[in-house]
């Protein structure tokens, strides 16, 4: 195998963030240089602890976890306990973590890593609001051309919104940070709701995780069982979307996804449509294309990949 791809996962776990992190830690093609926690689904005190719990669940206690921004750049924090439960990781009964957070601030870690490593070697994988990534870009603009790629979960075009009628949660929570990221000039691959709403769990898929019989598989089945409560009502199927694992699956098997290069801009002016990701899918403007926007996923192959990788933990 060629050298491992080095990634930093920026995250607000969240059950689907947890599955994404487990997928990354289970995959030999990837080296997780660090996990940076951000406030989002639940406040930072929970997301940072959840990140530690997930590393322990994976048996990867050497993973470095950093704590980052406690709130968005300009707006008060909006959380999603109605989806993820009070802790953000409701479902399995995971033990209190023995691992400790690194002392360094997540934003400093992102900046220092990018400045120290060969340019074009570090991929950023944001799975939550983009506050830490924007703070890093503002703090040290020289990191932008050194980032290999940003592969992120966020935004929507055809599916429009899941937290307001026009905005997806991650972008809505910190639209100003998202604006900084989409204007940064860094190559971006975007996994909007348009693709993640096609990566739906089902009873059979949850049963396949449970049938792995290892701690990770059983915990994931319990996590998805919990999110199901909310998702079933909302999506009226027998499961819900696994948003964040799409980011990691793309790094492992990009051919599972298809989409097109578009201009993407973020609404930060109107309260009515705050955080809307305005995607020029049809190319009706001459605005510069700044992201590859995904729309389709081979969901059978996606779930097969998840199950087989989680089976290694
Ligand atoms: C995104 O919001 C969070 O609730 C999920 O973890 C995912 O990152 C989906 O809109
Ligand atoms: Ca998330």
């Amino acid at each position: 195998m060629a050298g491992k791809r080095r990634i930093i996962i920026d995250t607000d776990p969240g059950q689907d963030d947890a599955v994404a992190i487990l997928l990354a830690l289970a995959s030999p093609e990837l080296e997780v240089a660090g996990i940076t926690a951000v406030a989002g689904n639940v406040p930072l005190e929970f997301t940072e602890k959840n990140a530690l719990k997930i590393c322990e669940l994976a048996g990867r206690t050497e993973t470095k976890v950093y704590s980052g921004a406690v709130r968005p750049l300009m707006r008060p924090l909006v959380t999603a306990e109605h989806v993820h439960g009070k802790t953000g990781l409701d479902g399995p009964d995971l033990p209190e973590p023995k691992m400790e957070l690194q002392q360094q601030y997540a934003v400093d870690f992102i900046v220092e890593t990018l400045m120290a490593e060969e340019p074009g070697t570090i991929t950023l994988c944001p799975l939550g609001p983009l506050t830490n990534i924007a703070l890093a870009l503002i703090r040290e603009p020289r990191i932008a051309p050194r980032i290999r790629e940003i592969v992120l979960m966020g935004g929507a075009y055809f599916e429009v919104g899941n937290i307001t009628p026009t905005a997806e949660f991650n972008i809505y929570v910190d639209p100003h940070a998202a604006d900084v990221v989409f204007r940064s000039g860094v190559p971006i691959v975007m996994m909007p709701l348009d693709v993640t709403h096609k990566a739906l769990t089902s009873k059979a898929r949850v049963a396949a995780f449970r049938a792995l019989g290892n701690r990770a598989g059983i915990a994931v089945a319990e996590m998805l069982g919990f999110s199901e409560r909310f998702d079933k009502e909302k999506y009226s199927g027998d499961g819900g979307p696994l948003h964040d694992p799409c980011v990691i699956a793309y790094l492992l098997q990009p051919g599972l996804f298809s989409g097109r290069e578009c201009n993407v801009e973020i609404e930060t002016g109107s309260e009515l449509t705050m955080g809307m990701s305005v995607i020029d899918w049809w190319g009706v403007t001459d605005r510069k294309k700044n992201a590859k926007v995904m729309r389709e996923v081979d969901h059978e192959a996606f779930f097969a990949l998840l199950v087989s990788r989680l089976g290694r933990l």
Side-chain angles (χ1 to χ4, degrees):
M1 194 191 307
K4 288 177 181 242
R5 184 162 179 175
R6 300 198 71 205
I7 65 172
I8 295 174
I9 302 178
D10 187 68
T11 176
D12 62 337
Q15 291 89 350
D16 64 320
D17 301 71
V19 179
I21 294 168
L22 292 171
L23 176 61
L25 294 176
S27 293
E29 303 90 330
L30 301 176
E31 185 186 323
V32 180
I35 295 178
T36 51
V38 68
N41 286 321
V42 284
L44 185 67
E45 57 183 299
F46 289 107
T47 61
E48 60 189 26
K49 190 197 265 197
N50 291 345
L52 297 172
K53 286 183 176 176
I54 298 156
C55 293
E56 289 191 359
L57 176 64
R60 296 289 300 276
T61 50
E62 78 288 5
T63 311
K64 294 191 159 65
V65 179
Y66 301 81
S67 184
V70 71
R71 66 163 182 86
L73 299 186
M74 317 267 287
R75 292 168 63 83
L77 177 66
V78 173
T79 51
E81 284 87 355
H82 61 293
V83 185
H84 302 278
K86 185 172 183 308
T87 67
L89 212 52
D90 282 18
D93 194 13
L94 296 174
E96 283 298 293
K98 294 204 181 67
M99 272 172 76
E100 284 181 12
L101 292 166
Q102 301 295 307
Q103 289 297 313
Q104 194 179 24
Y105 180 42
V107 176
D108 294 344
F109 164 73
I110 295 170
V111 169
E112 271 183 27
T113 306
L114 282 158
M115 293 308 286
E117 298 292 324
E118 233 2 69
T121 55
I122 301 283
T123 297
L124 301 183
C125 301
L127 310 178
L130 289 157
T131 321
N132 286 341
I133 311 298
L135 284 170
L137 285 162
I138 292 167
R139 158 121 201 248
E140 178 49 276
R142 287 180 299 167
I143 65 172
R146 304 176 74 93
I147 301 170
R148 173 166 166 185
E149 198 173 29
I150 297 177
V151 183
L152 64 88
M153 191 282 137
Y157 180 62
F158 298 95
E159 296 284 300
V160 204
N162 64 351
I163 183 78
T164 74
T166 57
E168 178 280 329
F169 180 80
N170 289 342
I171 305 290
Y172 177 75
V173 172
D174 200 340
H176 301 92
D179 186 48
V180 168
V181 170
F182 279 91
R183 287 178 195 276
S184 67
V186 178
I188 295 176
V189 176
M190 178 177 184
M191 295 291 171
L193 299 180
D194 307 313
V195 68
T196 66
H197 281 181
K198 293 171 181 162
L200 297 171
T201 61
S202 65
K203 283 211 159 50
R205 285 171 172 172
V206 173
F209 287 120
R210 192 180 297 279
L212 289 171
N214 58 2
R215 281 179 64 224
I218 293 167
V220 164
E222 286 169 359
M223 285 179 207
L224 301 183
F226 179 83
S227 337
E228 228 177 51
R229 262 178 341 123
F230 166 80
D231 286 334
K232 264 177 155 167
E233 242 172 75
K234 184 160 179 186
Y235 300 97
S236 63
D238 78 343
L242 264 185
H243 308 280
D244 294 337
C246 291
V247 165
I248 306 298
Y250 172 80
L251 300 178
L252 299 170
Q253 291 186 18
L256 294 180
F257 298 88
S258 61
R260 58 171 79 154
E261 299 282 343
C262 298
N263 171 267
V264 181
E265 301 202 356
I266 307 298
E267 177 63 73
T268 56
S270 149
E271 203 49 51
L272 181 66
T273 54
M274 183 61 73
M276 182 174 191
S277 52
V278 180
I279 301 177
D280 186 7
W281 181 264
W282 302 111
V284 295
T285 71
D286 54 9
R287 296 199 285 256
K288 199 168 178 284
K289 296 182 165 70
N290 58 347
K292 177 140 195 191
V293 180
M294 295 305 181
R295 191 172 177 194
E296 300 296 336
V297 57
D298 177 344
H299 55 90
E300 297 288 356
F302 168 75
F303 275 93
L305 174 70
L306 270 173
V307 171
S308 82
R309 291 303 167 91
L310 266 48
R312 296 180 180 198
L313 289 173

